[in-house]
Amino acid sequence: MFFKPEDFTKQWQDQTRQWQEQMEKIFVEKINEMIRNPALLSAVSKSIETSFDSKQKANETIAEFLQKLNVPTRHDTGRIMQYLQQVEARVLDLDEKLDLLLDRVEKLQATSLAQPSIPRAATPAPKNPGQKTVKIAAKKTATRSTSGKGRK
Amino acid sequence: MEPTLNPAQIPEEAKKLLDQNAQYAKILMDSYKRTPEEIEALKKTLKICPTPREVIHQECSVKVYRFTPVRKDLHPVPLFIVPSLILRWYILDLITGHSLIEHFVKSGIDTYLIDWGFPGDEHGQLTFDYYIDNFLGRAIRKVMRRTGATQIDLMGQCLGGTIAAAYTSLHQEHIRRFIALTTPVDFENAGLLSIWTDKSRFNVDKIIEYYGNTVPAEFIHGCFQFLDVKATVERYKKLYNNVLDNNFLYYYQALDLWSTDKVPFAGKVFGKFIKGLYQENGLVNKTFEVNGRYVDLAKITCPVLNIAAAFDHVFPERSAKRLNDLVSGPAQYHLMQTGHVTLVVLFPDRLKTYELMTDFLKN
């Protein structure tokens, strides 16, 4: 036989593989050169900016049209979302302050409980009944403790 | 697998080749564009993010997770992780056995993580300063109040590390130890991204003016394929050659899902990221400002563990290494012979990374 089919197959595969590897190497080299080429990068940046300008004009026209129809634009909904974000941030600030305040109340309560009790007769009568305030604070602390304060 | 032309095998081989091509085309088409619902469904199928967790704090799209401890003898200092803003956090908890977070939890470290989520229009007014001082600051304070700890350990990955470093320099009193994982701090000559964002040609104001509240993920991620062209070509070749191997396919799809789950950038945050870090190299030149205070990394006095990747295609090694020169505290530097992502997912390198971090936190 002039040649075996297996040899032909192997030769063909080797050739193909070599060709593929060569092509791949050239491709990677050329792309790497291109993406570092300052002139090309400047041209790409300019074309992006130009496309932004034309798209911006189109967006403005659409926004004007929607405004005339009394339909909120994306800008309008964005403003509402931003307002909500501000409200949420404010609530979280207050929540944090409340947490700190309740911690201090807890500490104060713990300190007052740890002190030796004073005979009842010697205690001056409070001008404003403070007992009620302490009870409310204690109740609030208990509620917040169950909602995740302290390591579980 | 290689196609052969042995006449006796042609029908079988041809069938296999057809299967291979069809499967390859299907996977490429699937990963080209996925809806959020498809991403969530695929996450469940592939069992991504396997470590159980609960949300302990939320603000806008930002959530703070606590990973459910599995040991009673918890390390006394909680660990707070700041992932990158550019991609999703779950590369740190990819799949069972390939998860840094799972490793921390099993090591008895009380682990918390901030998930930046997907910024929407409500983020339009938010600045980088807000991200550092408010989102991150509030989250860290929440964890401290919750655990009763006066200090926490902070770990930042990729750009999250840059944010964490800025936070540590401004609030050193809150941080006991700091881990930087492939974290860029020196943005001068910091690879291709610094060439592309050069101020002579990259007009960031124009981009923000056009996009407004958020810079879409496609704009940012379109260029990522070109950061390492050879690796991109290799990736597709490897997929083609192994596309009928289910085991390979599982890991490929998990990583591919993560890399295609793209996150947009809040407009003003993107602006400061490019201008303050890439164009002005603010952390090295001490010009990076957060709510009127300059970030000075020399104010980091706690022990620092800095881990960089030798084949990092996103931020070159020198960009991360510089952190050790800038901080005042005792700093360790470890260079892993891996890439930016493989550092935390590839066997066996990931195990060394995990151990380095656990030892640093516990000893």
Side-chain angles (χ1 to χ4, degrees):
Chain A
M1 204 174 181
F2 184 63
F3 67 86
K4 290 179 187 169
E6 290 83 4
D7 290 347
F8 176 76
T9 306
K10 196 177 176 304
Q11 205 176 354
W12 182 80
Q13 281 177 348
D14 286 346
Q15 288 281 338
T16 314
R17 194 179 302 117
Q18 274 175 22
W19 181 79
Q20 273 180 348
E21 279 167 8
Q22 198 62 26
M23 286 299 287
E24 198 183 295
K25 202 179 158 194
I26 294 168
F27 173 76
V28 170
E29 271 174 18
K30 289 292 163 196
I31 294 280
N32 276 332
E33 273 172 29
M34 269 170 64
I35 57 179
R36 283 173 174 80
N37 184 336
L40 181 79
L41 291 175
S42 296
V44 170
S45 293
K46 278 207 177 98
S47 69
I48 291 174
E49 280 180 33
T50 315
S51 76
F52 280 171
D53 284 339
S54 51
K55 280 181 186 171
Q56 186 83 33
K57 277 177 191 153
N59 286 349
E60 279 166 14
T61 315
I62 292 168
E64 210 174 307
F65 177 69
L66 290 172
Q67 211 171 10
K68 279 180 183 161
L69 288 176
N70 253 347
V71 176
T73 59
R74 190 178 168 188
H75 178 71
D76 297 327
T77 53
R79 277 178 59 195
I80 297 167
M81 298 295 283
Q82 286 166 18
Y83 177 72
L84 286 174
Q85 187 277 324
Q86 283 173 358
V87 173
E88 189 187 24
R90 187 90 186 104
V91 171
L92 287 168
D93 277 342
L94 290 171
D95 187 57
E96 195 174 346
K97 281 178 186 158
L98 189 64
D99 261 354
L100 292 171
L101 208 63
L102 291 173
D103 277 350
R104 287 183 69 181
V105 171
E106 262 180 37
K107 276 178 195 160
L108 279 172
Q109 279 180 334
T111 322
S112 64
L113 283 172
Q115 277 173 0
S117 58
I118 305 161
R120 189 174 273 269
T123 315
K127 279 176 189 170
N128 298 316
Q131 206 178 0
K132 199 177 175 185
T133 321
V134 172
K135 265 186 184 172
I136 291 167
K139 197 178 171 187
K140 270 188 184 171
T141 316
T143 319
R144 296 179 71 78
S145 303
T146 51
S147 63
K149 258 175 72 71
R151 189 185 289 238
K152 283 177 186 173
Chain B
M1 71 146 281
E2 298 281 343
T4 61
L5 292 179
N6 187 339
Q9 290 182 332
I10 279 177
E12 191 57 36
E13 290 303 319
K15 191 179 167 293
K16 217 170 184 179
L17 197 60
L18 280 172
D19 281 352
Q20 188 179 5
N21 284 317
Q23 177 81 328
Y24 183 65
K26 186 182 176 297
I27 286 167
L28 289 189
M29 292 293 280
D30 283 351
S31 75
Y32 177 65
K33 197 159 192 173
R34 293 187 179 107
T35 61
E37 293 77 27
E38 284 170 340
I39 287 175
E40 284 311 310
L42 196 55
K43 263 188 192 175
K44 278 182 189 157
T45 314
L46 298 172
K47 293 178 184 158
I48 303 277
C49 317
T51 314
R53 63 185 190 274
E54 59 168 327
V55 178
I56 61 149
H57 173 73
Q58 182 162 9
E59 180 178 1
C60 283
S61 65
V62 177
K63 288 178 188 165
V64 177
Y65 301 127
R66 186 202 188 194
F67 293 89
T68 313
V70 292
R71 277 169 59 165
K72 284 186 179 170
D73 56 332
L74 275 183
H75 184 61
V77 184
L79 171 68
F80 193 96
I81 301 174
V82 186
S84 177
L85 287 175
I86 301 171
L87 281 157
R88 301 282 282 138
W89 65 272
Y90 58 81
I91 188 65
L92 304 173
D93 187 28
L94 196 64
I95 43 179
T96 306
H98 294 67
S99 162
L100 172 64
I101 287 168
E102 183 189 43
H103 174 81
F104 282 145
V105 171
K106 282 185 178 169
S107 307
I109 294 169
D110 194 8
T111 310
Y112 294 82
L113 177 139
I114 188 165
D115 172 7
W116 300 108
F118 290 88
D121 284 341
E122 73 276 16
H123 283 241
Q125 65 193 339
L126 304 181
T127 57
F128 216 139
D129 308 22
Y130 193 91
Y131 269 57
I132 295 171
D133 262 352
N134 295 60
F135 279 154
L136 182 60
R138 214 195 306 275
I140 288 177
R141 290 195 300 272
K142 178 85 182 180
V143 170
M144 286 166 72
R145 286 202 309 280
R146 193 186 148 93
T147 56
T150 51
Q151 282 191 316
I152 58 155
D153 291 332
L154 191 63
M155 184 200 126
Q157 178 242 349
C158 186
L159 189 55
T162 313
I163 294 172
Y167 181 86
T168 309
S169 76
L170 296 169
H171 304 277
Q172 175 57 84
E173 70 283 4
H174 292 166
I175 311 300
R176 188 188 70 116
R177 283 172 186 222
F178 174 55
I179 300 176
L181 193 65
T182 56
T183 290
V185 290
D186 185 356
F187 288 83
E188 198 181 325
N189 303 321
L192 264 174
L193 285 174
S194 72
I195 296 175
W196 292 344
T197 53
D198 188 284
K199 63 177 130 185
S200 65
R201 64 178 83 93
F202 192 81
N203 187 349
V204 68
D205 291 327
K206 190 102 184 168
I207 291 161
I208 298 163
E209 188 193 328
Y210 174 69
Y211 284 121
N213 295 330
T214 51
V215 179
E218 289 73 22
F219 180 84
I220 301 157
H221 293 268
C223 63
F224 270 56
Q225 301 259 340
F226 295 99
L227 286 177
D228 189 347
V229 184
K230 198 170 189 306
T232 307
V233 173
E234 285 296 328
R235 182 184 156 195
Y236 290 119
K237 262 173 69 181
K238 208 170 176 186
L239 171 66
Y240 182 78
N241 291 332
N242 297 283
V243 77
L244 297 176
D245 176 351
N246 285 336
N247 195 34
F248 169 85
L249 211 54
Y250 174 66
Y251 294 115
Y252 178 87
Q253 283 188 312
L255 256 180
D256 182 60
L257 175 69
W258 169 76
S259 66
T260 52
D261 192 1
K262 297 160 186 167
V263 187
F265 237 108
K268 286 182 181 169
V269 178
F270 180 75
K272 190 156 180 175
F273 168 56
I274 299 293
K275 270 191 194 171
L277 296 176
Y278 269 105
Q279 294 182 345
E280 292 168 9
N281 199 14
L283 291 179
V284 172
N285 297 329
K286 297 181 185 173
T287 53
F288 193 78
E289 218 180 298
V290 174
N291 287 325
R293 295 158 298 164
Y294 286 108
V295 173
D296 180 3
L297 297 180
K299 286 183 181 165
I300 300 180
T301 52
C302 65
V304 174
L305 172 67
N306 185 8
I307 304 176
F311 309 111
D312 195 329
H313 65 292
V314 186
F315 302 109
E317 182 225 334
R318 61 171 291 281
S319 175
K321 194 178 181 182
R322 193 69 199 277
L323 179 69
N324 287 49
D325 305 331
L326 298 172
V327 298
S328 307
Q332 298 176 33
Y333 179 73
H334 292 273
L335 181 65
M336 310 292 286
Q337 297 303 311
T338 59
H340 186 74
V341 178
T342 48
L343 183 73
V344 284
V345 288
L346 192 75
F347 181 82
D349 307 280
R350 66 168 190 267
L351 299 180
K352 199 182 169 196
T353 314
Y354 296 177
E355 275 164 26
L356 272 173
M357 287 191 267
T358 318
D359 288 349
F360 177 73
L361 293 173
K362 285 190 145 185
N363 299 326

